[in-house]
Amino acid sequence: MIAVHGSVLAQEIEIESPNIAYSAIYPILIVFGVALVGVLVEAFAPRPRRYVVQTVLAAAGLGLAFVGTVLVAGDLPETQNGLARGGIEAEGALAVDGPTLFIWGAILLLSFFSVLLFAERRLESGVTAFAGQAAALPGTEAEREASTRGLEHTEVFPLMLFAVGGMMLFPASNDLLTMFVALEVLSFPLYLLCGLARRRRLLSQEAAVKYFLLGAFASGFFLYGIALVYGYAGTVTLAGIDGAITNRVGGDGLLLAGIGLMAVGLLFKIGAAPFHAWTPDVYQGAPTAVTGFMAACTKVAAFGALLRVFYVAFGGAQWNWMPMMWIVAALTMGVGCVLTLTQTDVKRMLAYSSIAHAGFLLTGFVGVQAATRDSDDMTSLVAVMFYLLAYGFTTLGAFAVVTVVRDSSGEATHLSRWAGLGKQSPVLAGVFALFMLAFLGLPATSGFMAKWAVFTSAWAGDAQLLVIIAVLASVITAFVYIRVIVLMFFADPVGEGPTVAMPSVLTVVTIAAGVVVTVALGVAPQPVLDLAHQAGEFVR
Amino acid sequence: MSPMTALPVLSETASAVAPAQAGGVYSLLWLVVALPAVSAAILLLGGRSTNAWGHLLGCAAPIASFALGVLMFVSLLTRDAHDRAIEQHLFDWITTGSYDVDAGLLLDPLSMLFVLLITGVGSIIHVYSIGYMAEDPRRRRFFGQLNLFVAAMLLLVLGSDYLVLFVGWEGVGLASYLLIGFWQHKHSAATAAKKAFVVNRVGDMGMALAVMLMFATFGTTSFVGVSAAAEGASTATLTALGLLLLLGACGKSAQVPLQSWLLDAMEGPTPVSALIHAATMVTAGVYLVTRSNFIFNEAPTAQTAVVIVGLVTALWGAIIGCAKDDIKKALAGSTMSQIGYMHLAAGLGPIGYAFAIFHLLTHGFFKANLFLGAGSVMHSMNDEVDMRRYGGLAPLMPITFLTFAMGYLAIIGFPLFSGFWSKDLILEAAFAENLVVGFGALLGAGITAFYMTRVMLMTFLSPKRWADDVHPHESPRVMTVPLLVLAALSAVGGVLYLGGWVVDWLTPVVGEEHPELGVPVWVISLAAVAVVAAGVAVAWVLVAKRDVPREAPVRVSVFTTAARADLFGDALNEAVFMRPGQHLTRSLVYVDNRGVDGTVNGLGGLIGGASGRLRRLQTGFVRSYALTMVAGAFVVVVALLAANLS
């Protein structure tokens, strides 16, 4: 009966198999595939081997995906009169174009170094910084037992790979539903990872719950926004929405409310005010390796998606959303800068600093300087992508430094414990000072070039007032970063002072990568600027 | 020096803007910057193994740069006057379509003089530091940082693009910050270093905005490009550019209203005060204004602002100098004041640029001389800086005394000494421009004579007031020889003006205009000498004829109180910027976090025990966060709708 029914259907409707261009999207598939293999490893590999297998698998998978990204980028076709490169793949679900691939490359590089931080074992004397047995309640016998048996959760590696896959999908999505799915795929593993700290577990679990609740809340806004936009345009593809806006079919209220609610979801992810409240709590509570990973990679992915939605789908309505984004950018910079001033915890300080940087990035974003055929000036896209890469490496390096400054209770994150660090470990303090100077935007560091890029593109895009606010804000933040440097080099240690634990080569490599990129992008930014420039515009 | 109108001269300036490419000896131009930079890298990264010879390498680098500079100078002299701009392209720094920044160097008559000043006086001060820092266990690091400064300063004056200049600009700021705080164990040093850095950031903001404005309006930031584009630009743009650049100059050169950091910067070792906070870095603002002459010439409002800032600072610094008992702070007030004179001259336009640079050079000589002399005195007095504990040192330290006296005569403008020539020219230009400015500058000269005589009397000539356990002695030769060289330069530095040489030399860069005076030039010279004599006489009556108490008198006039408090510069900053800032911070924290307790200040002093506090720090409730999100979303959507549908 069923068979008969089926054959009838087959006769009546031609079922076409979807046309998936695997040659263009295989980097994502590699990451998801390796993540699935990681799950199998958890199920079948003996416990003692898992750590090595998972680490190698994750690093190799990310490396392979990066190579794949480079190869895909090598033969992108030119479109739109040579302004963009790439095409719409997977039945319109994904846009594999220059910016997508640049962002993929950035995410893959940053997550590769994050894997190294995840795998650090020497700092916790032989185990990773993640909870031995997450299911055991803090302070119970079960936890003590897990700790004495030296258990560790190697699931963090596949979890992280799933998050990376989601992050790659997010800025590549060419329709709003794919984008929503990508948002959830990248978020859920992060919620879990945040709650897996080995030390200060209550704080970590609290952070995870907060992040989850607020994240779910933000997703709700985002989804509602999608529904309203669909109601306006009758389609969820970005190009379709753009077409609807250009032809002005009426129902502006629906569109504007939709834009506003979608903006809430995206601004939440990038940590812009007034949707930033979760950032400090989550950054502080999460295991520091996870914080570094989030601060670097989530920001890249979320900005990629923000740029794509607002430039491609809502580009025609830019005069409608621009004033709102101006205010958000100014508010974000203000809140980020002023509140960084009062932080007494390194991780919270870096969290507020990341809010301020989100504001600077938004400044570049609202410039909306698109490429034209007769000039190849700095576009907003180039500037923001450059900033993301520069900031990602600096912040990852800074969080890596945080993991090695320790006292008897684990990481010594209270700033007073950092007093006199320069006397005890001049090299480490010097490296951290370099990162602070990069955050501050001192010339010859990547931070300067990055700020320069976004400010000039925003200025050229007639956002002069915002640029002035941004420059003022960066003057205010100078206080903070200089205060940290003064504290490290000029203050006397309180009590016994901090100890700088000697990490394994993994963390050292990550910090070194941060230093190298921070200096290289400051002194010779041209190759990366060229690369971002070659990426061109988004395909439509 | 025939009377000329401004316009033809300016067009002449603009026509000379295509610099030749570097060849011959000039192809080594990059080495001038690279030598101290490499030496700094070796000394700062080399670790203890370089301790033994670090100071020697540290001296060799600026001396080698100086030698190269002299070679290039001689070579430039043989070239035609309008063919003295040499450009060296290093690499493409930023290339984005129509906007290119070359990392390039530009050697022209203006930067040439700065190279000679920085490496010349710099070398002398490096040598002096061998003796001054002999006892310091971190001497190698000191030399490394000093070399870093020299490299950054050379990049600042040699950069061919505002952006390259800005890199040097921030570099000298960083080096200055490190060196002010060199004695890390002193809390006051750390505070002073931080203050200098932060105040400078305010100025840098002006610089950054100016560069951005240039990029936005002209599409280029190179000197050549901007000077060509400035001709066709609107006055409003140029005025904005000029004012922003002036803000930058105020920060770096410690001009009112960003003057407050310089006095505190005296916490650094004395050679640092001599090199960075007297002879070179603080004059970067004058360099900037002079270099940007193509902007200021077309923006009279900005020029007036420069003149006002210069005049106010010239008097402000001089008044502060009168009340300070700390010898270095008295000299620091004097530095502010003298740089004020330079700004005043530079603000007058083509009539004054060359005089500003001339005074900058002579000031570099005599102020370095005075600071190193003060350092020599401190060295022999167990690092005592209070002049009330000095007195009667002349016979005990004859070389220091005599060299200091040369510097003294130069700064007050004693006839035939270097300062006499350079200050006189500025007075002439000021009187030609505006009588008020002229008399203000003249008054400043009188006050200068007063406070410098006071310093001289209290330190060397009045009866001895030091404690019995202090044994003043002459400094070692490695310190006195540099003093002798600088004293000679202070005395005869005026030869630069022989036959109007320095003015002619700079004309291709800054143009030329002769001051038109209503009275013969000698009248002004005579008036200046008379005012200086009056200042000296007043000091003689007030200081030499009375006993100098060992403790500073408490019951003093309002004016003395004000001057001792730096004319309330810090109080003003505190009232206008810091307190409102703190209130803003506190209220924002209250609104944003609800959790962070009131103790937000004094971070370094907070007690450890981090784990106990952590729980309390994180009291943000997820429900209130969610509420803010709803409110935020509401505001975003309503704002969008209201703005577009109304």
Side-chain angles (χ1 to χ4, degrees):
Chain A
M1 184 65 196
I2 293 167
V4 172
H5 202 85
S7 65
V8 171
L9 261 180
Q11 280 164 11
E12 287 172 355
I13 310 164
E14 284 280 307
I15 295 182
E16 290 178 28
S17 64
N19 175 23
I20 310 284
Y22 292 102
S23 64
I25 62 167
Y26 69 90
I28 293 193
L29 299 180
I30 291 176
V31 172
F32 280 128
V34 173
L36 289 173
V37 174
V39 174
L40 293 179
V41 169
E42 283 301 316
F44 295 111
R47 193 184 281 277
R49 301 240 181 92
R50 284 182 206 160
Y51 166 77
V52 174
V53 175
Q54 291 284 25
T55 310
V56 172
L57 208 56
L62 291 170
L64 205 61
F66 181 73
V67 173
T69 305
V70 173
L71 292 179
V72 173
D75 48 35
L76 277 185
E78 287 200 349
T79 57
Q80 294 166 25
N81 298 323
L83 287 180
R85 293 144 60 81
I88 312 283
E89 309 294 350
E91 300 289 333
L94 292 179
V96 182
D97 54 12
T100 299
L101 290 170
F102 187 92
I103 289 168
W104 283 4
I107 291 175
L108 288 167
L109 276 180
L110 288 165
S111 50
F112 176 82
F113 288 107
S114 304
V115 166
L116 302 187
L117 276 190
F118 275 47
E120 174 64 52
R121 265 172 138 182
R122 189 182 288 181
L123 293 171
E124 289 284 357
S125 43
V127 285
T128 56
F130 297 97
Q133 195 172 7
L137 290 175
T140 58
E141 192 59 38
E143 188 193 37
R144 268 187 292 282
E145 197 196 321
S147 156
T148 36
R149 284 177 59 202
L151 295 185
E152 49 186 353
H153 270 302
T154 43
E155 287 92 340
V156 293
F157 294 101
L159 276 175
M160 181 213 181
L161 286 175
F162 280 120
V164 172
M167 288 171 184
M168 291 168 72
L169 207 54
F170 199 32
S173 317
N174 193 47
D175 68 54
L176 297 180
L177 286 182
T178 312
M179 190 168 270
F180 179 71
V181 172
L183 174 67
E184 299 300 294
V185 172
L186 87 86
S187 300
F188 276 99
L190 287 179
Y191 300 148
L192 278 174
L193 286 170
C194 284
L196 288 181
R198 179 174 287 271
R199 309 253 191 170
R200 296 180 195 136
R201 291 189 57 201
L202 282 175
L203 203 65
S204 168
Q205 293 177 354
E206 187 186 326
V209 171
K210 271 184 189 167
Y211 192 21
F212 168 66
L213 287 175
L214 293 171
F217 203 41
S219 294
F221 281 112
F222 189 67
L223 196 57
Y224 196 20
I226 291 178
L228 293 181
V229 171
Y230 178 75
Y232 168 79
T235 171
V236 288
T237 64
L238 301 188
I241 296 165
D242 181 43
I245 291 175
T246 320
N247 298 325
R248 282 290 170 201
V249 290
D252 276 0
L254 219 50
L255 173 72
L256 293 172
I259 291 179
L261 292 178
M262 285 187 66
V264 171
L266 289 164
L267 292 173
F268 173 83
K269 271 287 167 235
I270 64 172
F275 314 106
H276 65 284
W278 61 277
T279 319
D281 288 6
V282 174
Y283 275 28
Q284 185 185 15
T288 306
V290 175
T291 313
F293 170 59
M294 282 199 300
C297 297
T298 313
K299 195 151 271 179
V300 179
F303 255 102
L306 182 79
L307 287 164
R308 186 177 292 281
V309 172
F310 277 81
Y311 282 15
V312 177
F314 302 146
Q318 61 165 284
W319 301 115
N320 299 95
W321 54 257
M322 200 108 90
M324 182 263 289
M325 282 297 180
W326 264 66
I327 295 169
V328 170
L331 192 66
T332 306
M333 287 186 283
V335 166
C337 290
V338 174
L339 289 180
T340 322
L341 289 175
T342 62
Q343 298 310 314
T344 52
D345 182 279
V346 179
K347 285 168 81 178
R348 287 184 83 85
M349 185 202 81
L350 290 173
Y352 277 107
S353 148
S354 96
I355 295 172
H357 283 282
F360 297 138
L361 281 159
L362 281 174
T363 305
F365 160 74
V366 298
V368 199
Q369 275 296 99
T372 52
R373 243 184 313 165
D374 42 343
S375 104
D376 42 343
D377 282 350
M378 177 96 69
T379 63
S380 300
L381 200 54
V382 171
V384 171
M385 290 197 303
F386 182 83
Y387 199 119
L388 286 169
L389 185 70
Y391 173 73
F393 270 97
T394 309
T395 196
L396 189 63
F399 279 109
V401 171
V402 171
T403 63
V404 302
V405 179
R406 308 176 76 86
D407 58 19
S408 56
S409 65
E411 289 163 10
T413 56
H414 199 273
L415 265 177
S416 65
R417 305 288 295 154
W418 285 54
L421 196 69
K423 298 196 176 85
Q424 214 219 329
S425 177
V427 175
L428 190 81
V431 166
F432 200 68
L434 173 73
F435 292 146
M436 292 294 109
L437 293 176
F439 284 148
L440 188 158
L442 204 77
T445 64
S446 61
F448 172 72
M449 288 315 308
K451 282 212 174 75
W452 175 252
V454 293
F455 291 173
T456 45
S457 73
W459 188 291
D462 284 333
Q464 287 93 340
L465 183 64
L466 209 52
V467 172
I468 292 174
I469 295 175
V471 173
L472 265 173
S474 47
V475 170
I476 296 175
T477 52
F479 276 101
V480 185
Y481 304 128
I482 288 304
R483 192 176 61 174
V484 175
I485 296 176
V486 167
L487 190 70
M488 288 193 299
F489 287 97
F490 297 107
D492 287 321
V494 180
E496 285 180 18
T499 50
V500 173
M502 191 56 209
S504 70
V505 68
L506 299 168
T507 303
V508 174
V509 166
T510 308
I511 296 177
V515 170
V516 168
V517 173
T518 302
V519 173
L521 289 187
V523 177
Q526 198 53 47
V528 178
L529 280 175
D530 281 343
L531 198 66
H533 198 79
Q534 272 170 22
E537 291 289 295
F538 289 121
V539 293
R540 284 162 186 276
Chain B
M1 294 232 315
S2 61
M4 284 170 127
T5 54
L7 271 177
V9 175
L10 287 175
S11 58
E12 177 185 74
T13 315
S15 68
V17 290
Q21 286 306 308
V25 64
Y26 307 111
S27 55
L28 299 177
L29 187 55
W30 63 277
L31 267 181
V32 173
V33 182
L35 284 172
V38 169
S39 165
I42 292 173
L43 294 179
L44 291 177
L45 303 176
R48 292 195 188 88
S49 54
T50 57
N51 269 356
W53 42 268
H55 54 285
L56 299 177
L57 177 69
C59 288
I63 292 175
S65 285
F66 178 64
L68 279 174
V70 170
L71 270 180
M72 289 172 198
F73 177 61
V74 172
S75 169
L76 271 192
L77 279 175
T78 61
R79 292 171 82 103
D80 187 55
H82 291 297
D83 195 23
R84 284 182 184 149
I86 315 287
E87 190 163 27
Q88 183 171 40
H89 172 79
L90 298 179
F91 57 93
D92 292 330
W93 192 21
I94 309 170
T95 318
T96 45
S98 56
Y99 176 59
D100 295 327
V101 177
D102 287 346
L105 302 178
L106 173 71
L107 185 77
D108 66 0
L110 180 62
S111 46
M112 187 73 248
L113 290 181
F114 271 89
V115 168
L116 291 177
L117 176 75
I118 294 160
T119 54
V121 174
S123 300
I124 296 172
I125 290 170
H126 274 74
V127 171
Y128 174 93
S129 304
I130 295 180
Y132 192 82
M133 301 298 283
E135 310 292 317
D136 199 300
R138 292 162 69 242
R139 180 167 73 168
R140 166 188 54 89
R141 186 180 293 259
F142 177 80
F143 274 93
Q145 294 177 359
L146 217 51
N147 279 349
L148 175 70
F149 165 76
V150 171
M153 187 73 201
L154 286 168
L155 186 65
L156 193 164
V157 297
L158 281 173
S160 65
D161 187 291
Y162 278 99
L163 208 58
V164 180
L165 181 150
F166 192 54
V167 173
W169 189 268
E170 292 285 337
V172 293
L174 187 65
S176 152
Y177 165 74
L178 291 171
L179 284 163
I180 294 171
F182 185 75
W183 282 321
Q184 301 175 348
H185 52 87
K186 281 162 67 180
H187 180 69
S188 53
T191 317
K194 189 174 151 191
K195 183 175 177 185
F197 198 87
V198 170
V199 173
N200 266 296
R201 291 298 296 177
V202 177
D204 296 346
M205 182 184 78
M207 270 293 283
L209 286 176
V211 177
M212 223 159 272
L213 184 60
M214 277 175 211
F215 162 68
T217 38
F218 305 143
T220 174
T221 51
S222 72
F223 294 145
V224 173
V226 174
S227 74
E231 280 176 48
S234 73
T235 312
T237 309
L238 292 172
T239 305
L241 270 179
L243 291 176
L244 288 171
L245 289 174
L246 175 63
L247 183 63
C250 281
K252 197 62 73 197
S253 290
Q255 300 292 291
V256 175
L258 298 179
Q259 82 292 354
S260 62
W261 64 273
L262 185 62
L263 291 163
D264 295 358
M266 295 299 124
E267 290 292 340
T270 308
V272 171
S273 309
L275 178 60
I276 302 184
H277 304 117
T280 55
M281 182 190 84
V282 287
T283 58
V286 183
Y287 171 77
L288 184 69
V289 174
T290 311
R291 174 58 80 195
S292 313
N293 60 75
F294 37 80
I295 292 172
F296 283 95
N297 287 342
E298 308 292 325
T301 317
Q303 281 188 317
T304 312
V306 177
V307 172
I308 292 172
V309 163
L311 183 63
V312 169
T313 313
L315 295 172
W316 189 293
I319 292 170
I320 290 177
C322 295
K324 289 291 172 188
D325 292 330
D326 178 330
I327 186 168
K328 283 178 73 181
K329 292 203 169 169
L331 290 176
S334 148
T335 303
M336 274 167 61
S337 165
Q338 298 299 314
I339 297 171
Y341 275 109
M342 298 171 208
H343 272 106
L344 191 162
L348 295 175
I351 197 176
Y353 291 129
F355 301 160
I357 299 300
F358 180 38
H359 193 57
L360 192 156
L361 295 173
T362 58
H363 173 257
F365 301 149
F366 61 67
K367 190 50 68 65
N369 177 9
L370 288 169
F371 263 111
L372 294 188
S376 174
V377 171
M378 286 162 56
H379 199 64
S380 75
M381 300 290 289
N382 301 350
D383 286 327
E384 177 63 73
V385 290
D386 190 345
M387 293 190 289
R388 293 185 183 278
R389 312 281 162 84
Y390 293 169
L393 294 177
L396 296 166
M397 317 180 63
I399 302 180
T400 304
F401 168 63
L402 287 174
T403 52
F404 197 89
M406 296 296 132
Y408 160 74
L409 293 173
I411 192 174
I412 65 170
F414 193 81
L416 304 183
F417 280 76
S418 61
F420 168 76
W421 303 104
S422 53
K423 196 178 283 182
D424 210 44
L425 289 168
I426 293 180
L427 289 179
E428 264 176 51
F431 270 108
E433 188 73 14
N434 184 313
L435 276 186
V436 178
V437 176
F439 279 112
L442 195 62
L443 177 66
I447 305 178
T448 306
F450 169 76
Y451 69 75
M452 282 312 300
T453 312
R454 176 173 173 268
V455 168
M456 195 73 191
L457 290 172
M458 285 176 79
T459 305
F460 291 103
L461 298 174
S462 53
K464 81 160 213 182
R465 297 179 300 278
W466 19 278
D468 292 332
D469 58 341
V470 180
H471 305 289
H473 53 85
E474 186 57 273
S475 296
R477 189 160 318 153
V478 71
M479 288 167 70
T480 50
V481 171
L483 280 175
L484 289 169
V485 177
L486 285 171
L489 287 170
S490 310
V492 302
V495 295
L496 289 177
Y497 189 61
L498 215 58
W501 177 81
V502 71
V503 175
D504 293 342
W505 172 257
L506 287 170
T507 300
V509 185
V510 298
E512 184 192 10
E513 197 183 316
H514 197 66
E516 300 281 356
L517 278 172
V519 291
V521 173
W522 60 264
V523 175
I524 289 181
S525 300
L526 205 63
V529 171
V531 168
V532 166
V536 172
V538 172
W540 186 262
V541 172
L542 289 183
V543 182
K545 291 285 168 194
R546 300 182 187 176
D547 284 337
V548 179
R550 258 182 68 92
E551 301 300 329
V554 188
R555 293 166 59 92
V556 289
S557 70
V558 187
F559 302 108
T560 316
T561 315
R564 277 186 190 164
D566 306 345
L567 296 183
F568 305 117
D570 284 333
L572 195 74
N573 283 350
E574 202 171 300
V576 178
F577 299 109
M578 272 170 65
R579 287 219 198 94
Q582 281 169 351
H583 284 306
L584 175 71
T585 316
R586 281 200 197 122
S587 43
L588 257 176
V589 165
Y590 181 74
V591 172
D592 187 84
N593 238 8
R594 294 161 300 265
V596 181
D597 46 11
T599 55
V600 291
N601 297 322
L603 158 110
L606 279 177
I607 314 143
S611 55
R613 293 178 54 84
L614 266 176
R615 295 298 309 145
R616 265 195 298 140
L617 268 172
Q618 196 163 328
T619 51
F621 293 111
V622 75
R623 57 170 185 268
S624 48
Y625 289 173
L627 196 66
T628 47
M629 274 180 65
V630 175
F634 186 74
V635 170
V636 163
V637 173
V638 168
L640 260 176
L641 291 174
N644 292 295
L645 297 182
S646 57

